[in-house]
């Protein structure tokens, strides 16, 4: 097979070879259970502690505030269900946004079925939450806010620090889903003013199936998983030592490369957009033009479906996405784009390109060579595309 041009780094990233090397000994040579007291277990426990300290340095917290999980989905579920259960006697109202990842969205829907009430604040046309809307949503019985740091589809970065200040003033617990920002932009939990923060290793060149929940000291939250006394009795289950070592290594590498990666990816992303805009009529950018991740470009094209573009690009060896990885395959238009006010028929024609460490200038040139003819071909076949009626909608 020819080289694959991978432009879907928001879905997942390849584990860095250094990460894989760091993980290897913990699978078979150093296989001890870190909860045991003999030397083999103790060396695993030491590796765990080192990983905890690495994470703590990266997000500026203390190691005791880091809890390892199986990934972003578990961290989000735990933060929301755990806080809701712990605080139910105080109140049953939760504030979140209308563009959260399904891991948060569906958890809030589940909590609604259990009698909690949820206010979903709107976003503007770029996908930004207005912190004042969060303030206005507060009620005396509000117990939790959950607003994501950066959106996984359009890359818009939310004003988390401002929302954090509002949450603190009101004395309301604040969770952010930082799965798309972890390892990509600097994170400091105090500067952000969050009490709970979710991250996932496979988004920053670490292994799949491992993540973390940062939990500020004294935060009231019930366990999601019951069993052994791991993670200070708050998250049961034998530790995934290789995964946790890999997560920490990946975060350390990401910290060292963060500025250079962003400085390389943002101009490539901008080149991609200028090239698309110059060669394809009726193409628009989704997401906030200013407050956005350096690696994300999300576009919509009139008259065609995201799925057909993905399949034709795949035939040319290019991997892109039409929404989040989890919504790809579903025929529902993205709830994120709908919340941004994009009509359903245009939301269907959206495409997400997310650049990463492997992306080269040549990849962008190749994409710009093959994509415009694909669009032209699909539009020729499209029953809803006509040159006369096109482009009524502007950014
Ligand atoms: N939150 C966001 C914003 C994500 O993008 C994802 C994954 O796409 C998740 C949560 C789920 O993370 P995981 O794949 O580690 O379960």
């Amino acid at each position: 097979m020819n080289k694959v041009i991978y432009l879907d780094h928001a879905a997942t990233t390849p584990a860095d070879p250094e990460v894989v090397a760091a993980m290897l000994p913990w699978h078979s040579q150093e296989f001890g259970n870190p909860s045991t007291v003999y030397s083999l277990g103790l060396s695993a426990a030491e590796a765990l502690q080192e990983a905890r300290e690495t994470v703590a340095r990266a997000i500026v917290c203390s190691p005791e505030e880091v809890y390892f999980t199986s990934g972003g989905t578990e961290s989000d579920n735990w933060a929301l269900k755990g806080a809701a259960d712990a605080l139910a006697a105080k109140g049953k109202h939760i504030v979140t946004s209308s563009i959260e990842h399904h891991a948060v969205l569906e958890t809030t829907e589940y909590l609604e079925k259990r009698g909690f009430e949820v206010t979903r604040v709107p976003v503007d046309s770029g996908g930004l939450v207005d912190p004042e809307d969060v303030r206005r949503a507060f009620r005396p019985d509000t117990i939790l806010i959950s607003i994501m740091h950066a959106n996984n589809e359009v890359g818009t970065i939310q004003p988390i620090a401002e929302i954090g200040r509002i949450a603190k003033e009101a004395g309301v617990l604040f969770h952010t889903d930082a799965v798309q920002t972890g390892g990509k932009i600097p994170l400091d939990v105090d500067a952000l003013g969050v009490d709970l923060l979710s991250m996932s290793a496979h988004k920053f060149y670490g292994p799949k199936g491992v993540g973390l929940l940062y939990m500020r000291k004294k935060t009231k939250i019930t366990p999601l998983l019951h069993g052994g006394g791991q993670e200070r009795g708050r998250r049961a289950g034998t530790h995934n030592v290789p995964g946790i070592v890999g997560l920490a290594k990946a975060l350390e590498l990401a910290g060292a490369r963060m500025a250079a990666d962003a400085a390389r990816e943002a101009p490539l992303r901008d080149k991609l957009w200028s090239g698309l805009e110059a060669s394809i009529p009726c193409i628009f950018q989704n997401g906030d033009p200013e407050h956005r991740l350096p690696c994300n470009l999300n576009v919509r094209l009139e008259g065609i479906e995201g799925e057909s573009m993905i399949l034709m690009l795949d035939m040319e060896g290019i991997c892109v996405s039409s929404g989040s990885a989890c919504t790809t395959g579903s025929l529902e238009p993205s709830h994120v784009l709908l919340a941004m006010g994009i009509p359903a028929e245009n939301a269907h024609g959206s495409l997400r390109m997310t650049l990463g460490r492997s992306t080269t200038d040549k990849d962008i040139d190749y994409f710009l060579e093959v994509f415009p003819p694909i669009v032209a071909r699909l539009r020729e076949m499209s029953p809803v595309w006509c040159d006369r009626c096109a482009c009524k909608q502007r950014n």
Side-chain angles (χ1 to χ4, degrees), residues 107-334:
T107 304
T108 56
E109 286 169 2
Y110 163 80
L111 289 170
E112 280 177 309
K113 287 192 196 117
R114 287 192 34 211
F116 289 86
E117 287 179 63
V118 179
T119 301
R120 293 179 181 82
V121 294
V123 291
D124 68 11
S125 59
L128 264 185
V129 167
D130 178 350
E132 286 309 312
D133 280 337
V134 175
R135 192 199 296 277
R136 277 189 284 273
F138 284 156
R139 306 188 328 201
D141 61 341
T142 305
I143 49 165
L144 175 69
I145 308 165
S146 181
I147 307 276
M148 71 198 316
H149 196 188
N151 181 264
N152 46 299
E153 293 186 34
V154 294
T156 300
I157 301 174
Q158 302 298 342
I160 294 299
E162 248 178 285
I163 300 171
R165 276 191 291 277
I166 293 172
K168 199 168 180 190
E169 267 169 47
V172 175
L173 206 63
F174 182 23
H175 166 250
T176 193
D177 173 341
V179 169
Q180 288 293 339
T181 48
K184 290 197 195 110
I185 60 175
L187 294 181
D188 174 335
V189 290
D190 282 345
L192 292 172
V194 295
D195 304 297
L196 296 156
L197 177 144
S198 309
M199 278 169 70
S200 177
H202 75 100
K203 306 291 185 179
F204 50 88
Y205 305 89
K208 293 172 180 58
V210 59
L212 66 95
L213 181 65
Y214 155 78
M215 197 187 302
R216 190 174 289 282
K217 266 183 208 129
K218 297 192 184 146
T219 298
K220 289 203 168 63
I221 165 166
T222 57
L224 184 66
L225 301 182
H226 298 88
Q230 290 90 349
E231 295 297 271
R232 297 169 295 286
R234 297 179 109 175
R235 196 275 182 185
T238 301
H239 288 100
N240 171 4
V241 179
I244 292 168
V245 167
L247 177 151
K249 185 72 190 171
L251 199 54
E252 189 184 303
L253 294 174
R257 314 185 39 145
M258 198 177 277
D261 281 351
R264 211 183 60 80
E265 287 163 21
L268 288 176
R269 186 264 321 268
D270 295 342
K271 171 176 166 166
L272 177 58
W273 169 241
S274 328
L276 292 175
E277 202 184 16
S279 56
I280 299 172
C282 303
I283 182 167
F284 307 97
Q285 249 194 88
N286 295 321
D288 192 276
E290 197 188 332
H291 306 101
R292 60 181 304 110
L293 287 172
C295 55
N296 173 294
L297 177 66
N298 190 308
V299 297
R300 62 183 185 280
L301 294 101
E302 289 183 7
I304 28 182
E305 297 275 321
E307 295 296 302
S308 40
M309 291 186 268
I310 290 173
L311 294 177
M312 290 187 79
L313 282 166
D314 186 36
M315 287 193 262
E316 303 292 343
I318 298 173
C319 307
V320 296
S321 188
S322 66
S324 67
C326 321
T327 45
T328 299
S330 114
L331 290 176
E332 290 297 309
S334 141

